[in-house]
């Protein structure tokens, strides 16, 4: 080691960033890098979300349409092929009820369950759910099971 390759210890030197608004002598006094006048130079300035400098914002330019039905009932859909998969994986035997679906993470604890008709069901199952599509009900009964509406 000699004077040509001296360097400070690791982590001892920090680049602290510029100290703004600390007098003329610092070179960053006066307007403190904010420029002259205008909203951005004031204290407490924060740009509104979606503000476009006075141009009509996108949110207001685009037309609104439709409405949200406050009485809508959402069902968690579960297809027949999902039930068949559970049978193949030996997770269910002969009955499918809400607790079974909840424990297999197919429905949340406050969900309403609707059995949908995608895929085919080979196993004879006693399925209880809040709703069934016509095709799902037919498929369950064709396989020798029964569909119980809760």
């Amino acid at each position: 080691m000699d004077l040509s390759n001296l360097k400070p210890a690791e982590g001892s030197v920090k680049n602290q960033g510029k100290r703004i608004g600390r007098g003329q002598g610092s070179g960053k006094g006066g307007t403190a890098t904010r420029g002259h006048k205008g909203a951005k130079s004031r204290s407490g300035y924060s740009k509104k979300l979606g503000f476009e400098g006075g141009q009509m914002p996108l949110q207001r330019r685009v037309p609104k349409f439709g409405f949200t039905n406050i009485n809508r009932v959402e069902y968690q859909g579960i297809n027949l092929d999902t039930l068949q998969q559970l049978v193949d994986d030996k997770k269910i035997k002969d009955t499918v009820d809400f607790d079974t679906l909840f424990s297999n993470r197919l429905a949340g604890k406050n969900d309403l369950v609707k059995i949908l008709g995608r895929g085919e069901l080979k196993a004879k199952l006693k399925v209880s759910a809040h709703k069934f599509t016509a095709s799902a009900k037919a498929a369950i009964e064709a396989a020798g099971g029964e569909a119980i509406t809760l």
Side-chain angles (χ1 to χ4, degrees), residues 83-109:
L83 294 180
Q84 185 59 49
Q85 184 68 45
L86 288 176
V87 173
D88 296 342
D89 296 344
K90 303 209 175 3
K91 290 189 176 167
I92 52 178
K93 291 267 192 310
D94 51 355
T95 58
V96 180
D97 57 358
F98 183 76
D99 298 329
T100 316
L101 298 173
F102 178 63
S103 60
N104 284 307
R105 294 182 162 195
L106 290 173
K109 65 176 174 27

Side-chain angles (χ1 to χ4, degrees), residues 52-66:
E52 297 182 21
Q55 170 176 302
M56 186 60 68
L58 184 68
Q59 176 65 22
R60 292 185 60 195
R61 288 200 300 267
V62 176
K64 297 173 186 65
F65 65 94

Side-chain angles (χ1 to χ4, degrees), residues 33-119:
T33 74
R34 284 168 174 255
H36 296 280
K37 298 187 185 168
K40 274 184 165 170
S41 71
R42 315 294 182 192
S43 71
Y45 167 78
S46 67
K47 195 169 106 211
K48 302 283 182 288
L49 201 65
F51 184 66
E52 297 182 21
Q55 170 176 302
M56 186 60 68
L58 184 68
Q59 176 65 22
R60 292 185 60 195
R61 288 200 300 267
V62 176
K64 297 173 186 65
F65 65 94
F67 79 110
T68 305
N69 182 1
I70 58 167
N71 298 318
R72 180 173 168 78
V73 179
E74 281 278 357
Y75 289 94
Q76 177 63 46
I78 295 171
N79 279 293
L80 292 178
D81 54 6
T82 313
L83 294 180
Q84 185 59 49
Q85 184 68 45
L86 288 176
V87 173
D88 296 342
D89 296 344
K90 303 209 175 3
K91 290 189 176 167
I92 52 178
K93 291 267 192 310
D94 51 355
T95 58
V96 180
D97 57 358
F98 183 76
D99 298 329
T100 316
L101 298 173
F102 178 63
S103 60
N104 284 307
R105 294 182 162 195
L106 290 173
K109 65 176 174 27
N110 298 322
D111 286 349
L112 298 173
V113 174
K114 184 171 186 174
I115 306 296
L116 311 174
R118 188 187 72 199

